[in-house]
Amino acid sequence: MFKKNLLHRFYFTLFLSYLLVFGLHLLILYALGLPLTDHKILLAYGVNIIMAVAIFSILYIFREPFKDQLGFLYLAGSMLKFVVFFIVFYPDYKLDGEMETIEFSAFFVPYVVGLIVETLYTAKILNSINNS
């Protein structure tokens, strides 16, 4: 029962975290008088949500057969996120020769949210494997 609920709790926590942080992110941009949807911010949140769901779901599915390799799978997922950043976002951010703070934060803020939630729940998976 606990293990099945873990996946649902992950999804709930992830989506709630992204909703709150996205709202706060837009509020800060608005307060600073900056454009709300520039710098691929919507794409960045969308891509990071999809990748966090996919990576954690894969970890959850393979938690038993690959329990000794889950840490490596987690690291591979993190590496995949960096690859996606450098392929999808970095070229546009560097078009003018420099990456502005607002461009960096458009990707980095949702990346960190996913990273934190994934890390906490991956630790729960690993602890449940070690305790069984």
Side-chain angles (χ1 to χ4, degrees):
M1 184 76 172
F2 169 76
K3 290 181 181 179
K4 188 165 192 159
N5 286 332
L6 182 67
L7 189 60
H8 294 127
R9 286 190 311 207
F10 169 77
Y11 293 149
F12 177 78
T13 303
L14 184 75
F15 287 115
L16 182 62
S17 299
Y18 271 116
L19 184 64
L20 292 172
V21 171
F22 182 65
L24 182 61
H25 197 156
L26 291 180
L27 185 64
I28 291 169
L29 291 174
Y30 178 78
L32 295 173
L34 298 169
L36 300 182
T37 57
D38 281 1
H39 310 293
K40 295 187 173 189
I41 191 170
L42 296 175
L43 180 63
Y45 273 87
V47 165
N48 276 289
I49 289 170
I50 290 167
M51 289 178 34
V53 165
I55 290 166
F56 187 78
S57 296
I58 289 168
L59 292 174
Y60 183 80
I61 290 166
F62 293 114
R63 71 190 181 281
E64 291 298 326
F66 295 106
K67 62 184 175 186
D68 294 331
Q69 289 83 24
L70 276 184
F72 294 111
L73 290 174
Y74 173 80
L75 290 174
S78 294
M79 183 175 284
L80 176 65
K81 288 182 179 185
F82 276 113
V83 169
V84 168
F85 169 75
F86 282 106
I87 291 172
V88 177
F89 297 95
Y90 190 74
D92 286 339
Y93 291 165
K94 289 295 282 185
L95 275 177
D96 61 358
E98 64 181 73
M99 185 182 304
E100 299 173 21
T101 303
I102 191 169
E103 292 171 326
F104 178 74
S105 68
F107 181 83
F108 189 70
V109 169
Y111 170 80
V112 168
V113 171
L115 182 67
I116 291 169
V117 175
E118 280 179 78
T119 301
L120 292 173
Y121 278 85
T122 300
K124 289 181 183 202
I125 288 176
L126 293 171
N127 285 336
S128 71
I129 289 171
N130 290 338
N131 293 333
S132 59

